[in-house]
Amino acid sequence: MEKEDLPLFAEWFNKPEVFGEYNPLHQMSRIEAEKMLENPLELKPFILEKKDGSKIGFVAHFYVLHTAGRQLEIGYSLVPSERGKGYCSEAVKIMVDYLFLSKETMRIQAQTDPRNVASQKVLEKVGFKKEGTLRKNFFMRGEWRDAYVYSILREEWQQPRILTKTVESE
Ligand SMILES: CC(C)(COP(=O)(O)OP(=O)(O)OC[C@H]1O[C@@H](n2cnc3c(N)ncnc32)[C@H](O)[C@@H]1OP(=O)(O)O)[C@@H](O)C(=O)NCCC(=O)NCCS
């Protein structure tokens, strides 16, 4: 994501239909979006751009705290009109290649609402495995919601599926 994408990203962040029915309702000002871009420890979004230049969503990575350090997690959203065309599966494959090529991480994880079948299909198509359920993990839109935890390990990934060049470490 480049600075020029910030207004669009902030717009998506504030639109409930882009984040879908299984994500919390977000609010993000442009200034908060700028701060996020400046801080590499925060959410790092990559914009999904089609060959015709149109921007259709994002896939992001971020760190979650863990007693033994930090775990890498990913999240993603597409504008409603571009869903169901395989774009997110392709984008997550690229993100997994990128993270295993550029970071010394053993695993990448993702969380999804048990009812979010499209998201689970994306993860399974890319090779993520379901680890379990975080029961009543967070309170959202009037109810306590469970979350499925998925992960892919470096040894399951084995080699890049789309990216071919070695990416320089950050
Ligand atoms: C989840 C999301 C990113 C998937 O993106 P996408 O580009 O549509 O995903 P893909 O096209 O690569 O694959 C989706 C798969 O789920 C299937 N699918 C989509 N909606 C479905 C539904 N309601 N029930 C069952 N399967 C569904 C598609 O058919 C496809 O499977 P297939 O390849 O076997 O045909 C998109 O739906 C989205 O932006 N949702 C709102 C935000 C969100 O929920 N983000 C994830 C939070 S964990």
Side-chain angles (χ1 to χ4, degrees):
M1 184 168 103
E2 306 295 340
K3 226 172 173 178
E4 70 198 35
D5 299 315
L6 283 173
L8 180 63
F9 186 74
E11 188 189 315
W12 286 340
F13 226 84
N14 294 320
K15 261 193 189 163
E17 60 268 35
V18 176
F19 269 76
E21 59 199 292
Y22 305 116
N23 271 309
L25 297 168
H26 293 282
Q27 278 191 316
M28 182 186 265
S29 67
R30 283 194 195 174
I31 290 172
E32 284 165 338
E34 274 170 28
K35 281 193 188 146
M36 178 197 67
L37 199 60
E38 283 161 12
N39 182 356
L41 291 180
E42 282 207 33
L43 190 73
K44 268 229 146 187
F46 287 67
I47 300 289
L48 309 185
E49 192 175 316
K50 293 209 301 192
K51 283 189 179 146
D52 66 8
S54 53
K55 296 175 181 183
I56 60 165
F58 68 91
V59 53
H61 66 81
F62 52 98
Y63 288 102
V64 283
L65 278 178
H66 184 271
T67 44
R70 290 183 301 157
Q71 301 277 11
L72 262 178
E73 188 161 322
I74 60 164
Y76 35 78
S77 280
L78 261 67
V79 296
S81 59
E82 298 291 349
R83 292 179 193 162
K85 301 178 184 174
Y87 292 137
C88 191
S89 303
E90 188 181 349
V92 172
K93 267 186 210 155
I94 294 172
M95 178 58 97
V96 166
D97 283 355
Y98 165 71
L99 291 175
F100 278 135
L101 286 169
S102 64
K103 317 258 182 227
E104 286 182 5
T105 188
M106 272 306 285
R107 55 178 272 133
I108 301 165
Q109 68 182 41
Q111 291 188 33
T112 174
D113 189 296
R115 291 163 286 187
N116 197 347
V117 181
S119 179
Q120 289 159 48
K121 281 201 170 181
V122 166
L123 293 168
E124 283 160 13
K125 277 196 282 186
V126 180
F128 281 71
K129 292 201 167 75
K130 192 163 107 187
E131 293 187 329
T133 308
L134 298 172
R135 296 180 303 156
K136 297 203 188 287
N137 188 42
F138 53 93
F139 190 81
M140 189 178 100
R141 303 188 190 191
E143 57 175 347
W144 285 98
R145 299 202 178 192
D146 293 348
Y148 284 164
V149 180
Y150 278 79
S151 71
I152 183 167
L153 304 180
R154 184 174 284 278
E155 65 248 38
E156 292 163 347
W157 168 73
Q158 291 179 344
Q159 58 183 9
R161 290 168 72 178
I162 295 183
L163 290 187
T164 49
K165 287 186 194 154
T166 305
V167 183
E168 272 182 39
S169 296
E170 283 172 13

